[in-house]
Amino acid sequence: MWVMKSLDFAVVASSSVSASVVSMSPCSDKMLSEGRAEIECGRGVTMRVCKEAPSSGLLLFLFIGLSSVWQCFALDVEANQTALLLVNASTGRAIPETLFGIFFEEINHAGAGGLWAELVSNRGFEAGGPNTPSNIDPWSIIGDESFLVVSTDRSSCFERNKVALRMDVLCDSQGDNMCPAGGVGVYNPGFWGMNIEEGKTYKVVLYVRSSGSINVSVSLTGSSGTPTLAAANIIASAPDISNWTKMEVLLQAKQSNTNSRLQLTTTNKGVIWFDQVSAMPLATYKGHGFRTELIEMLEDIKPQFLRFPGGCFVEGEWLRNAFRWKETVGPWEERPGHFGDVWKYWTDDGLGYFEFLLLAEDLKTRPIWVFNNGISLNDQVDSSVVWPFIKEALDGIEFARGDPNSTWGSLRAQMGHPEPFDLRYVAIGNEECGLKNYLGSYLKFHSAIKSAYPDIKMISNCDGSSQPLDHPADFYDFHVYTSAKNLFSMAQKFDTTSRAAGPKAFVSEYAVTGNDAGTGSLLAGLAEAGFLIGLEKNSDIVEMASYAPLFVNSNDRRWNPDAIVFDSSRLYGTPSYWVQRFFTESSGATLLDTTIQASSSSSLLASAITWTNSEDKKSYIKIKIVNFGSSLVNLTISISGLDQNSIQKSGSSKMVLTSANLMDENSFSEPNKVVPIQSLLENAGKEMDVVILPYSFTSFDLLKESTSIRIKGDDHSSRSSI
């Protein structure tokens, strides 16, 4: 027996039936109240509408062979809808190589406690502010007041972060006031627990000083202090540590624990100061400090640009808390860190401007730097005195691109990267169009940057999709967060945008939000798929697009939904992430003309591209179709402009993203509940009859013989039509 439970209906058909498609009817209140009902569908086929969910085994079978189930029922039974998709493969238009990328913002602990592999939270004891005594959270004490007193003072050797931890140990290894067997000290739980893996090595770096000799145990333990996963001792005489001294320890874990902590303990009486305590896995992505499994999920998107580091994170609630790049470069110990007052947490800024540029380089993509332009959410610098902010931006470009002998290029070289980074795009602020000082300041930024770096492309905050901008720009920024229905309808948003010479569109933030989205629903993903098809078809005016936000640590959901969800040891992609995977071949591909002819009002959107696999050099036609309706569609695909045998019978495939319920989500317990299912396409050809499931996103990759396609000029007439 085959079972399909979809939204508010289920289909059950006997395996003895020779039909291949049955129509589906929604459950009536009476049927649901009775639990199930049988409806005669004709030709001896009975459709049973069920309230009960099918067994997990049957559901698993359904999703593994979702499309084959429908193909197994006979093709001659009436389907809900019929439609024709015409694809013209004889001509096409080049899609910009930059079309789809990623946007990283420090939100939801995306970087601190996420992409950046630092395990210690508040490593420099600066999160409590510059005044002492101060709060050392999340550091905590091991032992009671009769054994030690922990405080902070401003004795650090680092000028930009003066706060250090002072530990007065009152107990000793012998005598009347003996320390507990495990010692006394402090521990740091990291970002909701450190993930320590058996066999892996962790590098602990700390600065220490004392007026006497020390014997400090550095250990990784379980969340309660046991078991001990790895440990080593720092032993030093008084003359060696009378001044601040850097110590490094390598710890190899003998057990795994996803909720671990770092401990610094001693059984010797005396006063010890600690500062800048860091713990990182020795193995990070390319040795650059990034969490490997999170980067691998980004690699799979094949992003063509990286917009960073925000977002509102760049602005700050107040300018005093904005991201300022100069405070985030140089040796990590010397970075002061800052409180991100928009998203309400401290960052040590180990993931700084240099690291973002390095990340773009590691991903083989283009960096897009968003810098502060003297405006925050609550205060702004008057345009007449904005020059220091302009100078800061110019210095930032010099840091990225300047000669290694230049003032800021030399600092980049000292950090291990004498070659310039490939910075070609900058955004002047974020979401500030219309504010009092935006335009006046923007024009000054634009003039200064254009004069110093004429090849740099500049992005305005103002939307030019409906009317021309009143100021010079290479791109205008477009953001949209809305309901599923609205976003799907916005597939045509740029259809009527002027193609006259002028700036191109950069859709740098888009997502379905609100009740439709949950924490990452199929419904949201399908609406976004439709929107992206619209952007792809309008890629003569839209040159770049990215989803937002990219990451969320499940322990700090400041924003829902997000593309990638993680904690210290686990991760998964939401449907919105998997939708982006359908577009990995679009950037730089050739867009083909497509037309949908439907028998009734259609909820279908479609696009087609040709692309070449860089590994095996084989060429494909990729056809993507979103069905945003509740009806199954019998679709005929007809491809013109190809020779009779241009599509090879073997080597073609299809991929389907759908689920039993529109609000289905992935989770740590079910990370693959809503993911694309790929299968071979056995009836590949110029003419194909296929079934498009309700509420689904389907792609067909048709392997073709090498043929030439006439590339159209960059004109509006080359776009697809519906």
Side-chain angles (χ1 to χ4, degrees), residues 230-387:
N233 283 71
I234 296 176
I235 301 173
S237 60
D240 294 333
I241 54 168
S242 59
N243 295 314
W244 283 105
T245 305
K246 184 178 182 178
M247 299 287 186
E248 295 186 5
V249 174
L250 294 180
L251 301 177
Q252 185 173 25
K254 57 187 179 182
Q255 295 182 47
S256 294
N257 191 312
T258 61
N259 189 21
S260 307
R261 71 191 200 186
L262 174 70
Q263 295 191 163
L264 305 175
T265 57
T266 186
T267 57
N268 290 357
K269 185 176 182 178
V271 182
I272 306 173
W273 285 264
F274 293 112
D275 197 14
Q276 297 301 327
V277 182
S278 168
M280 293 188 78
L282 201 59
T284 60
Y285 184 80
K286 295 189 177 183
H288 290 160
F290 305 114
R291 185 169 156 184
T292 300
E293 65 271 28
L294 292 179
I295 294 291
E296 288 173 345
M297 290 194 75
L298 300 185
E299 285 182 317
D300 289 340
I301 299 177
K302 299 181 182 179
Q304 297 305 306
F305 62 82
L306 168 65
R307 179 179 183 246
F308 70 90
C312 295
F313 180 71
V314 170
E315 301 168 89
E317 286 277 1
W318 300 92
L319 280 172
R320 62 177 176 268
N321 291 320
F323 179 89
R324 309 301 285 273
W325 76 266
K326 290 182 180 180
E327 303 296 296
T328 72
V329 295
W332 60 266
E333 303 97 323
E334 299 177 10
R335 303 180 190 183
H338 79 287
F339 179 68
D341 58 356
V342 175
W343 307 120
K344 310 303 181 187
Y345 60 89
W346 175 265
T347 59
D348 289 310
D349 289 329
L351 180 58
Y353 182 46
F354 176 83
E355 286 74 24
F356 282 116
L357 292 168
L358 196 62
L359 175 59
E361 186 174 85
D362 285 350
L363 291 171
K364 298 180 175 61
T365 194
R366 303 160 180 83
I368 300 178
W369 178 35
V370 185
F371 57 73
N372 186 281
N373 59 347
I375 300 176
S376 76
L377 299 184
N378 289 303
D379 60 342
Q380 52 187 291
V381 171
D382 191 87
S383 297
S384 63
V385 291
V386 78
W387 170 249

Side-chain angles (χ1 to χ4, degrees), residues 485-508:
K485 181 179 179 181
N486 285 346
L487 192 64
F488 186 79
S489 70
M490 289 180 68
Q492 288 80 39
K493 165 65 182 175
F494 293 93
D495 284 7
T496 57
T497 297
S498 172
R499 265 59 180 177
K504 302 289 189 179
F506 180 14
V507 183
S508 67

Side-chain angles (χ1 to χ4, degrees), residues 54-117:
S55 69
S56 58
L58 288 174
L59 256 182
L60 178 61
F61 172 80
L62 163 68
F63 291 120
I64 292 176
L66 197 55
S67 54
S68 61
V69 167
W70 288 103
Q71 291 176 356
C72 287
F73 280 161
L75 293 175
D76 57 346
V77 179
E78 183 181 41
N80 289 57
Q81 285 189 14
T82 60
L84 172 65
L85 173 62
L86 302 176
V87 180
N88 183 357
S90 63
T91 62
R93 173 172 52 76
I95 296 174
E97 293 184 354
T98 56
L99 184 56
F100 293 119
I102 53 177
F103 164 46
F104 180 97
E105 178 165 15
E106 181 58 271
I107 180 178
N108 306 319
H109 274 88
L115 187 67
W116 188 240

Side-chain angles (χ1 to χ4, degrees), residues 297 519-522 552 554 557 562-567 570-575 578 659 663-675:
M297 290 194 75
T519 57
S521 68
L522 172 65
V552 60
S554 62
R557 287 185 178 271
D562 309 88
I564 299 170
V565 183
F566 66 88
D567 61 13
R570 300 170 295 178
L571 73 165
Y572 64 86
T574 63
W578 291 108
S659 192
M663 296 308 294
D664 277 352
E665 301 183 358
N666 294 327
S667 62
F668 290 130
S669 59
E670 292 184 279
N672 297 318
K673 185 174 184 178
V674 190
V675 298

